Amino acid sequence: MIHVASLLHDDVIDRADLRRGARSAPAAFGNKYAILGGDFLLGRASAALSRLGESEVVELIASVITNLVEGEILQMNKVAQQGAALVNASYVGGDSWSILMAKGSRAAVVLGGVREGELWKEVAYAYGRNLGIAFQLVDDVLDYESGEAALGKPGGADLRLGLATGPALYAWEEHAEMGALIARKFEKEGDVELARDLVRRSSGVERTRELASAYADKALETLQHLPESEARGALEVLTERVVRRTW
């Protein structure tokens, strides 16, 4: 419910007309109803959390809501920094996803009945964080690779919002003119098209996909701390599917 609420709010912020190929909530019902709908879901999620009776889980998931909002603000106001080191050191685009998945995974371990030691909680947190970053990096690749039919939304959506994600930042290393586009947040007419062309003529997409695979590998490494089981095998398959997904 928290995730769906964040999508409703995202579509307002992003001025998105489509969500998975259908009209988005803001397009269908207006911004006010979309925001109120998201708020309603957050309220219901909070009520459900309180009924779990696990104070640690309530605190974890409540902090996720704060982190999601902080992530959106940071994403909207991020000042471009020289070089694609930003992609590796502090990937803003994947931060909200990684926090959601990291704390959600940790909460699942708590709810599973673990009462002794912090090891399994830390393993779950690390797995979720790395998987979340990998997921978002693949999402950023698909924004350049896939068409509207596959994504259910127009390609280049991040650029139109003034956001420079992994492919654009890596392309900056190979095409200096990308820096000026990033600095002015692709606001001038033709900036988005030029940026997409620069990315296509660079190794930005390939390098971003490689980075996603690296984070997925870290997630798989983390799982090796767990005993062999059907559940661990399912998490390994999930990790591989995140990297291979095309939508």
Side-chain angles (χ1 to χ4, degrees):
M1 284 191 286
I2 291 171
H3 178 220
V4 173
S6 75
L7 296 181
L8 287 169
H9 290 165
D10 274 351
D11 285 344
V12 174
I13 294 169
D14 299 347
R15 300 186 180 91
D17 293 325
L18 294 174
R19 168 65 64 179
R20 293 296 178 209
R23 293 180 72 196
S24 67
F29 308 109
N31 287 345
K32 289 182 180 179
Y33 277 112
I35 292 170
L36 289 171
D39 292 346
F40 177 79
L41 283 175
L42 291 177
R44 293 300 297 267
S46 298
L49 273 174
S50 67
R51 288 196 292 272
L52 292 175
E54 284 282 358
S55 60
E56 184 177 354
V57 173
V58 172
E59 184 177 350
L60 276 168
I61 304 304
S63 68
V64 165
I65 298 173
T66 302
N67 296 146
L68 287 171
V69 176
E70 289 172 342
E72 285 293 344
I73 293 171
L74 284 172
Q75 193 176 55
M76 291 169 67
N77 295 292
K78 187 69 180 180
V79 177
Q81 300 176 26
Q82 179 65 43
L86 176 62
V87 184
N88 295 285
S90 177
Y91 191 71
V92 177
D95 196 44
S96 295
W97 259 107
S98 65
I99 288 170
L100 174 63
M101 297 187 78
K103 292 186 175 180
S105 299
R106 185 182 176 101
V109 169
V110 176
L111 290 173
V114 172
R115 291 292 180 272
E116 296 179 4
E118 290 291 314
L119 174 61
W120 308 126
K121 296 178 187 178
E122 293 303 322
V123 167
Y125 187 94
Y127 171 76
R129 179 180 182 277
N130 286 310
L131 186 70
I133 294 176
F135 183 96
Q136 186 60 53
L137 285 165
V138 172
D139 212 48
D140 296 335
V141 165
L142 295 178
D143 195 44
Y144 288 89
E145 281 190 341
S146 300
E148 183 174 319
L151 288 178
K153 60 182 180 180
D158 290 329
L159 292 173
R160 291 184 178 87
L161 289 169
L163 302 176
T165 56
L169 292 170
Y170 278 132
W172 187 5
E173 287 191 338
E174 300 173 36
H175 301 283
E177 57 266 44
M178 179 69 87
L181 304 181
I182 293 173
R184 63 176 179 252
K185 298 183 177 181
F186 315 103
E187 289 179 341
K188 288 188 178 180
E189 186 176 349
D191 277 1
V192 170
E193 291 73 21
L194 176 56
R196 286 177 66 83
D197 181 59
L198 291 173
V199 169
R200 278 192 292 269
R201 291 193 284 115
S202 76
S203 60
V205 167
E206 292 80 3
R207 292 173 71 185
T208 304
R209 190 173 282 283
E210 288 170 3
L211 186 60
S213 295
Y215 274 105
D217 288 342
K218 288 182 182 179
L220 290 172
E221 286 174 18
T222 302
L223 290 177
Q224 301 313 302
H225 294 287
L226 301 176
E228 287 190 25
S229 67
E230 203 173 297
R232 193 183 90 174
L235 291 175
E236 290 169 346
V237 171
L238 172 64
T239 305
E240 292 163 2
R241 287 183 177 177
V242 161
V243 177
R244 294 200 310 265
R245 72 191 180 92
T246 56
W247 54 272

